[in-house]
Structure formats: structure tokens, C-alpha cells
Amino acid sequence: MKPGAANRWLWALILLGALAACARPAPEQALREAVESVEAAIEGRDAGELQRWLADDFIGPQGMDRDQARRTAMLYMMRYQSVGATLGPLEVALQDEDRGTVRFTVALSGGSGRLVPDSARLYQVETGWRMRDGDWRMTSASWSPLIR
């Protein structure tokens, strides 16, 4: 084999290895992206997409299940023409590669679509997550208002 050909093969293998390493984001990055997708579903007023991110055994406050969470989101989305969710910094804690917790503050707002929201509240949120079949799903959520 010519020296130039060997170098090309070496570079091709290095490139292939780099691409393979980039194919799947690290668990923490994938979890952050899942949280961003939930935020986008809320802002996009898409309760069905929001429910897609909830595990089948999701549990929320007062025993809220997955379907109740979707219905609650739908009610809020029907009430307000414009829905906003602005998340503070995410505190991600991985218990292992397939379980994690994400804590953050969120400002939820809803309104008629004008500049100023009709309603806005700030919450402290804690969510539990589990990896299943390569995707993160929210298993639990709890929240409390920061300003009462």
C-alpha cells in the first residue's frame, strides 16, 4: 500500500469514528433537548406533542396522570390564544444513563395575543425522566408558585 493511501485510510477511520461519536448526543444533552421539546410543545399549543414526551406511567401533582396532564394543557391552551413558557437555567442530575432529574424555574404566560400577557406566573419545577428505547420520557413533575 502506498504511504498516501494509508494516510487516507487512517483519516477516513478517524472521520468515521468522529461521526459515530456525534451520532447520539450524550445523555445529559439529549435530556436537555427533550426539555426544550416540551417547552416548544407548550409554546406551540400542541397538547398531543406535549403528551408524547410523557411516560405512560407519568405522575404529577395530586395523582395527575398522563391523560389528565394533556387535558389540563389543552384547557390552558383553549383559554389563552397565546401561551408562553420561558425556562430558567436547567439543573440536570443524572442518576445513571437512563434516569435523571431536571429542576428549573419557568415563567408561564397566557394572553389574547397582544403584547402584554393577560396572565403570568413564575414556578419552581422538578421533573423526573427515564430513557426508554433511546428517547427520554418525563415520568413525574411537580411545581410550586414562586410568588403567591
Side-chain angles (χ1 to χ4, degrees):
M1 187 181 289
K2 293 181 182 178
N7 282 339
R8 283 193 293 270
W9 276 105
L10 179 60
W11 282 111
L13 286 173
I14 290 171
L15 180 59
L16 186 59
L19 289 174
C22 295
R24 279 198 88 95
E28 181 176 337
Q29 182 58 36
L31 182 50
R32 288 177 181 277
E33 290 170 5
V35 172
E36 290 172 6
S37 295
V38 169
E39 178 184 17
I42 292 169
E43 288 188 333
R45 302 169 42 88
D46 190 340
E49 178 65 12
L50 173 63
Q51 185 179 26
R52 183 179 89 74
W53 291 99
L54 303 179
D56 290 339
D57 60 347
F58 171 84
I59 184 103
Q62 289 87 38
M64 174 187 289
D65 67 14
R66 183 175 188 250
D67 192 51
Q68 289 171 320
R70 180 190 55 80
R71 287 193 309 248
T72 300
M74 284 179 57
L75 187 70
Y76 192 78
M77 292 170 187
M78 288 188 314
R79 180 174 180 188
Y80 296 107
Q81 178 182 350
S82 174
V83 177
T86 304
L87 276 59
L90 302 181
E91 295 175 28
V92 177
L94 293 176
Q95 284 75 42
D96 50 42
E97 287 201 6
D98 64 352
R99 289 184 313 118
T101 303
V102 182
R103 292 178 188 88
F104 54 92
T105 56
V106 63
L108 290 177
S109 61
S112 59
R114 293 185 222 115
L115 226 51
V116 179
D118 298 335
S119 175
R121 300 231 26 207
L122 189 61
Y123 294 92
Q124 179 65 46
V125 179
E126 182 172 324
T127 57
W129 295 78
R130 176 179 58 227
M131 175 79 76
R132 282 290 187 253
D133 300 324
D135 292 316
W136 285 103
R137 294 292 181 256
M138 189 186 308
T139 57
S140 64
S142 61
W143 55 87
S144 58
L146 285 176
I147 302 171
R148 294 178 193 243

PDB file of all heavy atoms in Angstrom, residues 57-79:
ATOM      1  N   ASP A  57     -46.559   5.942  32.491  1.00  0.00           N
ATOM      2  CA  ASP A  57     -46.822   5.931  33.930  1.00  0.00           C
ATOM      3  C   ASP A  57     -46.533   7.289  34.580  1.00  0.00           C
ATOM      4  O   ASP A  57     -46.278   7.373  35.785  1.00  0.00           O
ATOM      5  CB  ASP A  57     -46.016   4.824  34.610  1.00  0.00           C
ATOM      6  CG  ASP A  57     -44.509   4.987  34.421  1.00  0.00           C
ATOM      7  OD1 ASP A  57     -44.086   5.796  33.568  1.00  0.00           O
ATOM      8  OD2 ASP A  57     -43.743   4.288  35.120  1.00  0.00           O
ATOM      9  N   PHE A  58     -46.614   8.378  33.797  1.00  0.00           N
ATOM     10  CA  PHE A  58     -46.384   9.729  34.306  1.00  0.00           C
ATOM     11  C   PHE A  58     -47.286  10.001  35.511  1.00  0.00           C
ATOM     12  O   PHE A  58     -48.445   9.610  35.531  1.00  0.00           O
ATOM     13  CB  PHE A  58     -46.681  10.762  33.207  1.00  0.00           C
ATOM     14  CG  PHE A  58     -46.673  12.177  33.715  1.00  0.00           C
ATOM     15  CD1 PHE A  58     -45.483  12.871  33.831  1.00  0.00           C
ATOM     16  CD2 PHE A  58     -47.852  12.801  34.086  1.00  0.00           C
ATOM     17  CE1 PHE A  58     -45.472  14.172  34.313  1.00  0.00           C
ATOM     18  CE2 PHE A  58     -47.852  14.107  34.567  1.00  0.00           C
ATOM     19  CZ  PHE A  58     -46.649  14.791  34.684  1.00  0.00           C
ATOM     20  N   ILE A  59     -46.714  10.702  36.485  1.00  0.00           N
ATOM     21  CA  ILE A  59     -47.486  11.122  37.654  1.00  0.00           C
ATOM     22  C   ILE A  59     -47.136  12.567  37.989  1.00  0.00           C
ATOM     23  O   ILE A  59     -45.973  12.951  37.997  1.00  0.00           O
ATOM     24  CB  ILE A  59     -47.246  10.193  38.864  1.00  0.00           C
ATOM     25  CG1 ILE A  59     -48.117  10.568  40.032  1.00  0.00           C
ATOM     26  CG2 ILE A  59     -45.824  10.200  39.305  1.00  0.00           C
ATOM     27  CD1 ILE A  59     -49.272   9.651  40.206  1.00  0.00           C
ATOM     28  N   GLY A  60     -48.173  13.355  38.205  1.00  0.00           N
ATOM     29  CA  GLY A  60     -47.997  14.753  38.559  1.00  0.00           C
ATOM     30  C   GLY A  60     -48.644  15.044  39.898  1.00  0.00           C
ATOM     31  O   GLY A  60     -49.025  14.122  40.630  1.00  0.00           O
ATOM     32  N   PRO A  61     -48.821  16.321  40.213  1.00  0.00           N
ATOM     33  CA  PRO A  61     -49.433  16.698  41.495  1.00  0.00           C
ATOM     34  C   PRO A  61     -50.830  16.096  41.660  1.00  0.00           C
ATOM     35  O   PRO A  61     -51.576  15.949  40.693  1.00  0.00           O
ATOM     36  CB  PRO A  61     -49.509  18.221  41.410  1.00  0.00           C
ATOM     37  CG  PRO A  61     -48.454  18.598  40.425  1.00  0.00           C
ATOM     38  CD  PRO A  61     -48.410  17.472  39.431  1.00  0.00           C
ATOM     39  N   GLN A  62     -51.160  15.769  42.883  1.00  0.00           N
ATOM     40  CA  GLN A  62     -52.457  15.189  43.241  1.00  0.00           C
ATOM     41  C   GLN A  62     -52.800  13.971  42.382  1.00  0.00           C
ATOM     42  O   GLN A  62     -53.963  13.750  42.023  1.00  0.00           O
ATOM     43  CB  GLN A  62     -53.592  16.224  43.150  1.00  0.00           C
ATOM     44  CG  GLN A  62     -53.555  17.290  44.223  1.00  0.00           C
ATOM     45  CD  GLN A  62     -52.690  18.467  43.846  1.00  0.00           C
ATOM     46  OE1 GLN A  62     -52.667  18.886  42.695  1.00  0.00           O
ATOM     47  NE2 GLN A  62     -51.963  18.995  44.802  1.00  0.00           N
ATOM     48  N   GLY A  63     -51.785  13.176  42.026  1.00  0.00           N
ATOM     49  CA  GLY A  63     -52.025  11.952  41.275  1.00  0.00           C
ATOM     50  C   GLY A  63     -52.359  12.157  39.810  1.00  0.00           C
ATOM     51  O   GLY A  63     -52.865  11.248  39.148  1.00  0.00           O
ATOM     52  N   MET A  64     -52.076  13.341  39.268  1.00  0.00           N
ATOM     53  CA  MET A  64     -52.346  13.628  37.852  1.00  0.00           C
ATOM     54  C   MET A  64     -51.644  12.592  36.976  1.00  0.00           C
ATOM     55  O   MET A  64     -50.456  12.357  37.121  1.00  0.00           O
ATOM     56  CB  MET A  64     -51.840  15.033  37.507  1.00  0.00           C
ATOM     57  CG  MET A  64     -51.942  15.382  36.033  1.00  0.00           C
ATOM     58  SD  MET A  64     -51.136  16.963  35.644  1.00  0.00           S
ATOM     59  CE  MET A  64     -52.262  18.122  36.392  1.00  0.00           C
ATOM     60  N   ASP A  65     -52.405  11.966  36.079  1.00  0.00           N
ATOM     61  CA  ASP A  65     -51.788  11.006  35.164  1.00  0.00           C
ATOM     62  C   ASP A  65     -51.510  11.661  33.812  1.00  0.00           C
ATOM     63  O   ASP A  65     -51.734  12.856  33.626  1.00  0.00           O
ATOM     64  CB  ASP A  65     -52.638   9.735  35.031  1.00  0.00           C
ATOM     65  CG  ASP A  65     -53.981   9.971  34.351  1.00  0.00           C
ATOM     66  OD1 ASP A  65     -54.193  11.043  33.724  1.00  0.00           O
ATOM     67  OD2 ASP A  65     -54.840   9.072  34.427  1.00  0.00           O
ATOM     68  N   ARG A  66     -51.019  10.877  32.903  1.00  0.00           N
ATOM     69  CA  ARG A  66     -50.610  11.366  31.580  1.00  0.00           C
ATOM     70  C   ARG A  66     -51.764  12.036  30.831  1.00  0.00           C
ATOM     71  O   ARG A  66     -51.622  13.107  30.255  1.00  0.00           O
ATOM     72  CB  ARG A  66     -50.066  10.174  30.791  1.00  0.00           C
ATOM     73  CG  ARG A  66     -49.529  10.482  29.431  1.00  0.00           C
ATOM     74  CD  ARG A  66     -48.920   9.194  28.856  1.00  0.00           C
ATOM     75  NE  ARG A  66     -48.225   9.466  27.641  1.00  0.00           N
ATOM     76  CZ  ARG A  66     -48.640   9.080  26.441  1.00  0.00           C
ATOM     77  NH1 ARG A  66     -49.748   8.383  26.315  1.00  0.00           N
ATOM     78  NH2 ARG A  66     -47.938   9.366  25.372  1.00  0.00           N
ATOM     79  N   ASP A  67     -52.926  11.404  30.842  1.00  0.00           N
ATOM     80  CA  ASP A  67     -54.078  11.955  30.128  1.00  0.00           C
ATOM     81  C   ASP A  67     -54.592  13.223  30.798  1.00  0.00           C
ATOM     82  O   ASP A  67     -54.962  14.178  30.125  1.00  0.00           O
ATOM     83  CB  ASP A  67     -55.190  10.915  30.012  1.00  0.00           C
ATOM     84  CG  ASP A  67     -56.254  11.351  29.029  1.00  0.00           C
ATOM     85  OD1 ASP A  67     -55.891  11.721  27.881  1.00  0.00           O
ATOM     86  OD2 ASP A  67     -57.447  11.362  29.405  1.00  0.00           O
ATOM     87  N   GLN A  68     -54.608  13.247  32.123  1.00  0.00           N
ATOM     88  CA  GLN A  68     -55.028  14.460  32.832  1.00  0.00           C
ATOM     89  C   GLN A  68     -54.074  15.611  32.547  1.00  0.00           C
ATOM     90  O   GLN A  68     -54.505  16.762  32.429  1.00  0.00           O
ATOM     91  CB  GLN A  68     -55.109  14.191  34.332  1.00  0.00           C
ATOM     92  CG  GLN A  68     -56.270  13.308  34.719  1.00  0.00           C
ATOM     93  CD  GLN A  68     -56.191  12.876  36.176  1.00  0.00           C
ATOM     94  OE1 GLN A  68     -55.110  12.564  36.676  1.00  0.00           O
ATOM     95  NE2 GLN A  68     -57.331  12.847  36.838  1.00  0.00           N
ATOM     96  N   ALA A  69     -52.783  15.321  32.424  1.00  0.00           N
ATOM     97  CA  ALA A  69     -51.813  16.362  32.093  1.00  0.00           C
ATOM     98  C   ALA A  69     -52.102  16.941  30.712  1.00  0.00           C
ATOM     99  O   ALA A  69     -52.075  18.152  30.513  1.00  0.00           O
ATOM    100  CB  ALA A  69     -50.390  15.799  32.152  1.00  0.00           C
ATOM    101  N   ARG A  70     -52.421  16.065  29.751  1.00  0.00           N
ATOM    102  CA  ARG A  70     -52.758  16.534  28.402  1.00  0.00           C
ATOM    103  C   ARG A  70     -54.022  17.386  28.431  1.00  0.00           C
ATOM    104  O   ARG A  70     -54.077  18.457  27.824  1.00  0.00           O
ATOM    105  CB  ARG A  70     -52.938  15.352  27.455  1.00  0.00           C
ATOM    106  CG  ARG A  70     -53.301  15.776  26.019  1.00  0.00           C
ATOM    107  CD  ARG A  70     -53.714  14.595  25.157  1.00  0.00           C
ATOM    108  NE  ARG A  70     -54.787  13.807  25.719  1.00  0.00           N
ATOM    109  CZ  ARG A  70     -56.084  14.140  25.647  1.00  0.00           C
ATOM    110  NH1 ARG A  70     -56.465  15.223  25.045  1.00  0.00           N
ATOM    111  NH2 ARG A  70     -56.997  13.353  26.189  1.00  0.00           N
ATOM    112  N   ARG A  71     -55.031  16.926  29.163  1.00  0.00           N
ATOM    113  CA  ARG A  71     -56.296  17.684  29.227  1.00  0.00           C
ATOM    114  C   ARG A  71     -56.099  19.027  29.918  1.00  0.00           C
ATOM    115  O   ARG A  71     -56.683  20.033  29.497  1.00  0.00           O
ATOM    116  CB  ARG A  71     -57.365  16.859  29.937  1.00  0.00           C
ATOM    117  CG  ARG A  71     -57.884  15.722  29.088  1.00  0.00           C
ATOM    118  CD  ARG A  71     -59.147  15.119  29.664  1.00  0.00           C
ATOM    119  NE  ARG A  71     -59.016  14.781  31.069  1.00  0.00           N
ATOM    120  CZ  ARG A  71     -58.999  13.565  31.559  1.00  0.00           C
ATOM    121  NH1 ARG A  71     -59.105  12.533  30.752  1.00  0.00           N
ATOM    122  NH2 ARG A  71     -58.877  13.357  32.855  1.00  0.00           N
ATOM    123  N   THR A  72     -55.285  19.073  30.956  1.00  0.00           N
ATOM    124  CA  THR A  72     -55.003  20.330  31.645  1.00  0.00           C
ATOM    125  C   THR A  72     -54.302  21.300  30.691  1.00  0.00           C
ATOM    126  O   THR A  72     -54.642  22.486  30.634  1.00  0.00           O
ATOM    127  CB  THR A  72     -54.134  20.083  32.897  1.00  0.00           C
ATOM    128  OG1 THR A  72     -54.850  19.209  33.776  1.00  0.00           O
ATOM    129  CG2 THR A  72     -53.800  21.377  33.605  1.00  0.00           C
ATOM    130  N   ALA A  73     -53.341  20.782  29.938  1.00  0.00           N
ATOM    131  CA  ALA A  73     -52.645  21.624  28.955  1.00  0.00           C
ATOM    132  C   ALA A  73     -53.625  22.122  27.887  1.00  0.00           C
ATOM    133  O   ALA A  73     -53.588  23.296  27.511  1.00  0.00           O
ATOM    134  CB  ALA A  73     -51.508  20.841  28.306  1.00  0.00           C
ATOM    135  N   MET A  74     -54.508  21.249  27.417  1.00  0.00           N
ATOM    136  CA  MET A  74     -55.498  21.654  26.402  1.00  0.00           C
ATOM    137  C   MET A  74     -56.405  22.763  26.934  1.00  0.00           C
ATOM    138  O   MET A  74     -56.714  23.723  26.225  1.00  0.00           O
ATOM    139  CB  MET A  74     -56.343  20.457  25.965  1.00  0.00           C
ATOM    140  CG  MET A  74     -55.617  19.525  25.023  1.00  0.00           C
ATOM    141  SD  MET A  74     -56.615  18.085  24.539  1.00  0.00           S
ATOM    142  CE  MET A  74     -58.060  18.854  23.847  1.00  0.00           C
ATOM    143  N   LEU A  75     -56.840  22.639  28.182  1.00  0.00           N
ATOM    144  CA  LEU A  75     -57.701  23.640  28.793  1.00  0.00           C
ATOM    145  C   LEU A  75     -57.001  24.992  28.829  1.00  0.00           C
ATOM    146  O   LEU A  75     -57.579  26.020  28.459  1.00  0.00           O
ATOM    147  CB  LEU A  75     -58.089  23.189  30.204  1.00  0.00           C
ATOM    148  CG  LEU A  75     -59.110  24.045  30.917  1.00  0.00           C
ATOM    149  CD1 LEU A  75     -60.473  23.866  30.250  1.00  0.00           C
ATOM    150  CD2 LEU A  75     -59.181  23.649  32.385  1.00  0.00           C
ATOM    151  N   TYR A  76     -55.740  24.993  29.255  1.00  0.00           N
ATOM    152  CA  TYR A  76     -54.963  26.231  29.310  1.00  0.00           C
ATOM    153  C   TYR A  76     -54.785  26.806  27.903  1.00  0.00           C
ATOM    154  O   TYR A  76     -54.907  28.006  27.689  1.00  0.00           O
ATOM    155  CB  TYR A  76     -53.605  25.949  29.959  1.00  0.00           C
ATOM    156  CG  TYR A  76     -52.823  27.184  30.333  1.00  0.00           C
ATOM    157  CD1 TYR A  76     -53.131  27.914  31.468  1.00  0.00           C
ATOM    158  CD2 TYR A  76     -51.760  27.619  29.550  1.00  0.00           C
ATOM    159  CE1 TYR A  76     -52.406  29.040  31.822  1.00  0.00           C
ATOM    160  CE2 TYR A  76     -51.030  28.744  29.894  1.00  0.00           C
ATOM    161  CZ  TYR A  76     -51.369  29.453  31.029  1.00  0.00           C
ATOM    162  OH  TYR A  76     -50.653  30.577  31.370  1.00  0.00           O
ATOM    163  N   MET A  77     -54.542  25.939  26.931  1.00  0.00           N
ATOM    164  CA  MET A  77     -54.319  26.392  25.556  1.00  0.00           C
ATOM    165  C   MET A  77     -55.608  26.912  24.916  1.00  0.00           C
ATOM    166  O   MET A  77     -55.564  27.804  24.078  1.00  0.00           O
ATOM    167  CB  MET A  77     -53.707  25.262  24.733  1.00  0.00           C
ATOM    168  CG  MET A  77     -52.298  24.928  25.158  1.00  0.00           C
ATOM    169  SD  MET A  77     -51.694  23.409  24.385  1.00  0.00           S
ATOM    170  CE  MET A  77     -50.140  23.185  25.252  1.00  0.00           C
ATOM    171  N   MET A  78     -56.758  26.368  25.302  1.00  0.00           N
ATOM    172  CA  MET A  78     -58.041  26.878  24.792  1.00  0.00           C
ATOM    173  C   MET A  78     -58.382  28.207  25.446  1.00  0.00           C
ATOM    174  O   MET A  78     -58.993  29.065  24.831  1.00  0.00           O
ATOM    175  CB  MET A  78     -59.160  25.865  25.031  1.00  0.00           C
ATOM    176  CG  MET A  78     -59.048  24.664  24.122  1.00  0.00           C
ATOM    177  SD  MET A  78     -60.458  23.514  24.167  1.00  0.00           S
ATOM    178  CE  MET A  78     -60.796  23.286  25.885  1.00  0.00           C
ATOM    179  N   ARG A  79     -57.986  28.364  26.703  1.00  0.00           N
ATOM    180  CA  ARG A  79     -58.303  29.587  27.438  1.00  0.00           C
ATOM    181  C   ARG A  79     -57.523  30.781  26.901  1.00  0.00           C
ATOM    182  O   ARG A  79     -58.017  31.901  26.872  1.00  0.00           O
ATOM    183  CB  ARG A  79     -58.002  29.385  28.914  1.00  0.00           C
ATOM    184  CG  ARG A  79     -58.299  30.584  29.751  1.00  0.00           C
ATOM    185  CD  ARG A  79     -58.124  30.296  31.210  1.00  0.00           C
ATOM    186  NE  ARG A  79     -58.431  31.479  31.994  1.00  0.00           N
ATOM    187  CZ  ARG A  79     -58.217  31.575  33.273  1.00  0.00           C
ATOM    188  NH1 ARG A  79     -57.714  30.554  33.932  1.00  0.00           N
ATOM    189  NH2 ARG A  79     -58.506  32.670  33.912  1.00  0.00           N
TER     190      ARG A  79
END
